[in-house]
Amino acid sequence: MEISTADLYDERGDELASVSLQFQDLGGHVGFTGPIRTVRCLEDNGIIKSLLNSPGEGAVLVVDGAGSLNTALMGDLIAGAAVENGWAGVVINGAIRDRAAVAKLPLGVKALGSNPRKSAKDSVGEVDVPVEFGGVTFRPGAVLYADEDGILVEP
């Protein structure tokens, strides 16, 4: 589904929250939308891997990695699992790796940047809790809209 966040904001205005943090478009799909699932973790992608290897049913995984660019929270194998399991996209307040391979996948991916360094795999973090970054609180079940212009979230 092709959505223009600018047009959507013009229609609905302040009933949508606009994420001020500037993300890079790193996936094969620039525009994506879906209900939110969340993860809060720091330099550990064990929970992310587990979730993206489970049925996504068109959801968008929003990961609050505290803005850390020290390690990648997702690479091509985990992103490939997201595609196989029906996730619409992933938004990471942190880094990914394997960006050339991720860019070829039919998945929306927004992240702050990339780093080839692997993260820990201890599954330390929280799932489906409200997370906040870029001036927006992301709540599980709310709908996220993303394209080249940015990210909008239903509160």
Side-chain angles (χ1 to χ4, degrees), residues 20-91:
S20 62
L21 196 56
Q22 299 298 296
F23 286 91
Q24 295 182 37
D25 290 309
L26 300 171
H29 290 171
V30 175
F32 55 98
T33 186
I36 294 172
R37 299 279 314 269
T38 65
V39 169
R40 179 183 296 125
C41 61
L42 180 63
E43 299 174 11
D44 183 321
N45 74 354
I47 293 173
I48 298 166
K49 180 178 180 180
S50 176
L51 272 176
L52 294 178
N53 272 288
S54 67
E57 300 172 346
V60 175
L61 183 61
V62 176
V63 179
D64 185 4
S68 173
L69 299 174
N70 292 326
T71 65
L73 291 175
M74 185 179 75
D76 62 338
L77 297 179
I78 295 174
V83 171
E84 290 173 20
N85 287 292
W87 290 83
V90 182
V91 175

Side-chain angles (χ1 to χ4, degrees), residues 36-38 129-131 137-143 153-155:
I36 294 172
R37 299 279 314 269
T38 65
V129 296
V131 298
T137 300
F138 300 84
R139 289 182 173 77
V143 177
V153 177
E154 292 181 341

